[in-house]
Amino acid sequence: MWLDHHVRGFEALEHLNDQARMPMHFRPTGREAPQVDIGGIRSPRLAIWSVQSSTGFESAPSEGLDLYSIRIPLRGGVVRRTASREFETVVGTATILPANEIVATRFQPGSDILNCSVGGSDLRARFEQLEGQRPSALRLQPSTNLEGPRLQALVHTIRQIGDHLGTPAATLTGPLLMDLLLNQILTSWPRGQAQPVDGSLRAADKAVDFIEAHLAEPMTIGSVAAAAGVSLRTLQSAFRMRTGKTPLGYILDRRLENAHLDLLANEGRLPVSQIAYRWGFLHMGEFARRYRERYGAPPSRTGRRSA
C-alpha cells in the first residue's frame, strides 16, 4: 500500500485517522493547525516511509502489533515514550523499539524523519538462523548513535529499499534486500545493555521526584544526586537509563514546558523575558532557540496567540 498523505489542519488529521488504515493514531500537540506530510510504502512485513512536519504532532501505535519500529531523524527529532522511559532522538542517532512497548512518539516541529517497521516474527526467525538458537527475548539497545560504517550501511539499505519497494524491480531484488535489512539490524545494531540494579533505578526515581518538587527553585546536579543518595556518576547513568535523558536535560525540558504553559496563560500581561527568567532561562536567544525547536514558533508568538 502506497503512503501519500498531506495533512493541513485538524479535520484533515482526523480524516487520516479514520480513512488511511495506518497502524497508528495521530494527534496534534498544540493549538496550531497540524501540517504533516507522509510518503512511502507499507506491506504486512515491512513499511518504510518519511514524515515531515512543520508543526509537530504525536502518534500512538495500534494495539497488538508485532513489529520493531525504527526512527531515524534526518532533520529535527522525535521523543519516544514507553511505560517507564523516554528516548530523545536527534540527527545522528536512531531508536528501535517493539511497537507493543511504545506509548507515544512526539515528532518535533520542523522534523524530517525516516521510519522503518519490520515484522517481529521475521526478525526473531532471522536471529535463530544467524545464532542457531531461538531468542528467549530479543533485546536490542533502544537508542544508538549512527557512528561507524555498519550502521551507516543500515541507513543506506533502508533508503534503498524505500526507493525500490513496490516497483517492478522489487520482484527480484526485494527478497534479497529484505534479507540484507534483517541481517544488518541484527549484526550492526548494539544489543540491549544490562539494566541497572533496582537500587539505582529507585535512586533515579527519587531524583525525578526531587526535581519535580523543586523545579521552580535553584538546584544543582549535585543537590539532585545528594537527594537521591548516590554519586554523580551513578545518577547520570541510572537517570539516563530511566528517562533517556541526562538530569540537566530533563530539568531544562521540564522548565521549558512550564514556561510554555505560562505563556499560553499569560494573555500578554507579562513580557516573555520575565516568564523565561522565572524558569531559569537567562539568555533570551538560547531560550527562543530551544522554544522554537520544541514548539515550532517563537515564544513571542505564543504570547500574542494567547492574548
Side-chain angles (χ1 to χ4, degrees):
M1 180 176 74
W2 289 103
L3 305 176
D4 186 19
H5 306 289
H6 304 279
V7 172
R8 297 294 183 270
F10 295 100
E11 291 185 5
L13 193 66
E14 285 304 312
H15 181 76
L16 178 64
N17 288 328
D18 293 338
Q19 304 296 328
R21 291 181 293 176
M22 296 282 286
M24 61 192 68
H25 182 85
F26 301 91
R27 53 183 177 248
T29 55
R31 297 182 180 182
E32 188 174 1
Q35 297 189 17
V36 183
D37 295 295
I38 300 172
I41 194 165
R42 174 193 170 204
S43 69
R45 298 174 57 197
L46 176 67
I48 296 175
W49 71 103
S50 64
V51 175
Q52 296 92 33
S53 177
S54 61
T55 59
F57 65 97
E58 275 195 350
S59 68
S62 304
E63 294 183 1
L65 294 177
D66 182 21
L67 298 171
Y68 280 78
S69 171
I70 299 173
R71 296 290 184 268
I72 304 169
L74 306 178
R75 185 178 68 246
V78 295
V79 178
R80 314 191 77 186
R81 189 169 73 252
T82 67
S84 60
R85 297 172 59 186
E86 278 192 354
F87 302 94
E88 185 170 4
T89 311
V90 297
V91 175
T93 66
T95 55
I96 185 168
L97 291 168
N100 59 13
E101 294 184 9
I102 301 169
V103 175
T105 299
R106 176 183 292 174
F107 292 72
Q108 296 176 354
S111 292
D112 182 359
I113 310 298
L114 178 63
N115 308 268
C116 176
S117 293
V118 298
S121 59
D122 289 325
L123 206 57
R124 289 188 293 271
R126 181 51 50 90
F127 180 93
E128 186 173 357
Q129 291 174 343
L130 290 173
E131 303 290 339
Q133 59 181 351
R134 182 169 298 179
S136 56
L138 179 56
R139 302 300 301 181
L140 299 170
Q141 184 173 303
S143 180
T144 186
N145 290 320
L146 294 174
E147 298 175 349
R150 293 196 302 171
L151 284 168
Q152 290 296 323
L154 171 61
V155 176
H156 176 74
T157 298
I158 293 173
R159 287 177 175 271
Q160 189 176 22
I161 295 176
D163 290 340
H164 289 87
L165 197 64
T167 67
T171 303
L172 288 178
T173 62
L176 292 175
L177 289 173
M178 184 68 174
D179 278 352
L180 178 62
L181 175 63
L182 295 173
N183 288 344
Q184 286 182 330
I185 291 173
L186 291 171
T187 58
S188 66
W189 202 285
R191 296 290 173 87
Q193 296 178 336
Q195 296 292 316
V197 297
D198 289 345
S200 294
L201 292 178
R202 286 194 295 271
D205 290 337
K206 288 182 180 178
V208 169
D209 290 342
F210 177 84
I211 290 171
E212 293 295 336
H214 299 84
L215 204 57
E217 304 170 16
M219 75 174 84
T220 65
I221 305 304
S223 67
V224 175
V230 294
S231 67
L232 283 172
R233 184 185 296 274
T234 298
L235 175 70
Q236 294 281 356
S237 60
F239 201 93
R240 184 179 286 278
M241 185 63 71
R242 174 61 94 186
T243 69
K245 302 177 182 180
T246 64
L248 178 60
Y250 182 88
I251 292 169
L252 291 176
D253 282 352
R254 290 290 294 117
R255 285 178 170 170
L256 187 65
E257 289 173 5
N258 283 349
H260 175 63
L261 292 175
D262 281 358
L263 284 169
L264 288 174
N266 183 46
E267 297 182 350
R269 292 188 298 269
L270 297 175
V272 171
S273 59
Q274 189 167 338
I275 292 175
Y277 296 153
R278 175 189 296 168
W279 291 106
F281 295 96
L282 302 180
H283 191 286
M284 286 305 301
E286 177 67 11
F287 172 71
R289 182 189 67 79
R290 286 179 175 273
Y291 192 93
R292 182 187 290 273
E293 288 179 356
R294 180 69 177 272
Y295 297 106
S300 57
R301 185 179 299 173
T302 301
R304 289 197 301 269
R305 194 164 61 236
S306 301

